[in-house]
Amino acid sequence: MAVRHYTLDFNLSTAVECASVVPGLLSIFHEQELAETIHDTNGHGYLATFVGKNGRLVILRVHSHGLVTIDLQCYEEDNVAQLDNLLNSLEKKLKVILNGNIARTKKLPPLVRGAKVDRYWPTADGRLVEYDIDKVVYEEDSPYQNIKILHSKQYGNILVLDGDVNLAESDYAYTEAITGSGKENYAGKEVLILGGGDGGILAELVKHKPKMITMVEIDQKVIDGCKTHMRKTCGNILDSLRGDCYQILIEDCVPLLKKYVREGRTFDYVINDLTAIPISTSPEEDSTWEFLRLILDLSIRVLHPKGKYFTQGNSVNLTEALSLYEEQLGKLSCPVDFRKQVVCVPSYLEQWVFYTAWKK
């Protein structure tokens, strides 16, 4: 059973004594048959909880530094009109009691916690986003990750891997950026795609008549979900693992890249769609950074001398992580130059960095 969590905040121009605020609100709580419990804050203002028979919980806090906060929790099926009336009554009463001492009032839409369909996902830079998700259309646990495809009224179906928003059907801007923003000539070229299980990159590049595209995706279940539920992104390209100018290999790309290095095989384009740059530079992320460095080095080694390497970076706000990645570009066994561009990917709700690298 889901819970709604409403918040109502008052930033005050000057701090107030709780005795001048609380008594005027008690009648509203009593009308709602909410039982009061006062808690000891050790000198940090006033804190009381009010509990109703229908499962409602109100937390009233008058902070000593000039902030009044009200939190209301209730079950999702509770009467919305009654809840709105309660919050509106508290807001009106406080405006009267505080009489011009309010610098700012903020009432947010309710946070729905524990719902069957999760609508909240963090951005890469740590902000909470509520999507207009109304159903889960696919969910599987593979040996590698949890895979969800969620339906959004605004963005279409969204692929989410291990809790990270990967790609929505609205996100052609991502596919365009990671393939060179329409400035590359793929006709007759050899292309290697690392990852890309949603099929968006592959579906785009086959339009340009390459000689051969080799796509290496480790997770068959990503392909299975996307070929059914992400067809606005992949079309019918994932229906077959082989076509006139492409092949999809279901395997780990690292042994394959090492094999290509030993054989001296090269590609005109290498597109790395495996993972974003880690959001942290902390020791906990070391294994991801090691994987990223390995893929980057192997990819450049199989790149034709005049070829190009494309990959995503991360949120433009993660400047420390992006700088560390750019340092790695300067430490490869094959020296490279690079450039980056910033693109707005619709479902990400943040500016996203993409990199292009080539051998010096």
Side-chain angles (χ1 to χ4, degrees):
M1 185 182 296
V3 171
R4 291 182 179 271
H5 188 159
Y6 296 81
T7 60
L8 177 60
D9 301 334
F10 296 85
N11 288 84
L12 308 182
S13 301
T14 57
V16 295
E17 294 292 331
C18 59
S20 66
V21 175
V22 175
L25 298 177
L26 292 180
S27 62
I28 297 175
F29 294 124
H30 294 158
E31 287 171 7
Q32 298 288 328
E33 298 183 339
L34 294 163
E36 175 189 12
T37 302
I38 300 174
H39 303 271
D40 184 5
T41 65
N42 293 317
H44 295 284
Y46 171 89
L47 172 64
T49 53
F50 301 83
V51 179
K53 295 178 181 178
N54 53 3
R56 293 177 188 173
L57 167 67
V58 179
I59 303 170
L60 169 65
R61 186 152 194 186
V62 182
H63 299 263
S64 56
H65 59 277
L67 175 66
V68 178
T69 59
I70 297 173
D71 293 79
L72 168 60
Q73 296 182 27
C74 62
Y75 293 120
E76 191 174 22
E77 65 271 17
D78 205 335
N79 189 307
V80 174
Q82 288 183 9
L83 298 170
D84 286 340
N85 288 335
L86 172 57
L87 289 168
N88 289 337
S89 297
L90 290 168
E91 184 176 359
K92 289 177 183 178
K93 191 70 172 179
L94 272 168
K95 285 180 178 178
V96 172
I97 293 171
L98 295 170
N99 190 24
N101 191 24
I102 299 174
R104 185 174 72 247
T105 303
K106 189 70 174 182
K107 181 165 61 176
L108 295 175
L111 187 72
V112 181
R113 301 166 64 181
K116 184 176 180 180
V117 178
D118 191 357
R119 298 162 60 99
Y120 304 98
W121 300 93
T123 60
D125 59 0
R127 293 172 292 111
L128 183 64
V129 173
E130 180 178 3
Y131 287 89
D132 57 347
I133 293 167
D134 55 12
K135 60 183 175 180
V136 179
V137 299
Y138 179 84
E139 182 169 12
E140 290 286 342
D141 285 305
S142 77
Y144 309 103
Q145 59 203 334
N146 173 261
I147 306 155
K148 289 186 181 74
I149 299 178
L150 311 172
H151 178 260
S152 158
K153 298 174 185 177
Q154 183 174 189
Y155 301 114
N157 286 344
I158 305 174
L159 175 64
V160 179
L161 300 177
D162 279 343
D164 289 330
V165 173
N166 263 236
L167 194 78
E169 291 178 314
S170 63
D171 294 344
Y172 178 72
Y174 178 100
T175 302
E176 184 178 50
I178 204 169
T179 56
S181 300
K183 299 175 183 177
E184 303 299 321
N185 178 14
Y186 286 94
K189 302 295 176 60
E190 291 268 3
V191 183
L192 177 64
I193 301 172
L194 306 177
D198 55 75
I201 296 171
L202 180 60
E204 176 63 23
L205 294 187
V206 295
K207 300 173 186 176
H208 300 274
K209 303 185 186 309
K211 180 180 179 181
M212 177 55 67
I213 302 172
T214 300
M215 177 176 133
V216 190
E217 167 60 55
I218 198 171
D219 202 335
Q220 177 69 55
K221 289 192 174 183
V222 172
I223 291 177
D224 292 343
C226 291
K227 71 180 181 182
T228 301
H229 301 290
M230 297 282 290
R231 292 188 80 87
K232 290 182 180 177
T233 295
C234 64
N236 63 1
I237 199 70
L238 297 178
D239 292 351
S240 174
L241 296 180
R242 289 185 178 272
D244 292 340
C245 64
Y246 74 90
Q247 59 177 340
I248 301 173
L249 307 178
I250 309 300
E251 58 183 280
D252 185 345
C253 71
V254 173
L256 187 64
L257 283 168
K258 291 179 178 178
K259 175 175 174 286
Y260 289 159
V261 170
R262 290 194 302 269
E263 295 173 347
R265 185 172 178 185
T266 61
F267 295 84
D268 299 294
Y269 293 96
V270 178
I271 301 173
N272 178 0
D273 193 34
L274 292 170
T275 183
I277 294 169
I279 63 174
S280 171
T281 56
S282 66
E284 290 79 7
E285 295 282 8
D286 278 352
S287 61
T288 307
W289 277 105
E290 288 173 10
F291 174 74
L292 186 148
R293 293 182 190 105
L294 175 63
I295 295 297
L296 181 56
D297 190 67
L298 290 171
S299 297
I300 297 300
R301 291 173 70 182
V302 301
L303 190 64
H304 187 276
K306 294 185 178 180
K308 288 184 180 178
Y309 171 81
F310 294 116
T311 192
Q312 62 167 316
N314 211 309
S315 168
V316 72
N317 288 339
L318 298 178
T319 54
E320 185 178 358
L322 293 170
S323 294
L324 181 56
Y325 179 74
E326 291 167 17
E327 287 179 19
Q328 310 314 308
L329 289 170
K331 298 177 181 178
L332 299 176
S333 56
C334 301
V336 299
D337 283 325
F338 71 92
R339 64 172 176 266
K340 58 185 175 181
Q341 68 175 129
V342 177
V343 173
C344 180
V345 179
S347 75
Y348 289 12
L349 296 173
E350 55 189 325
Q351 300 285 330
W352 209 251
V353 178
F354 292 84
Y355 287 93
T356 305
W358 58 94
K359 292 179 178 178
K360 291 184 178 180

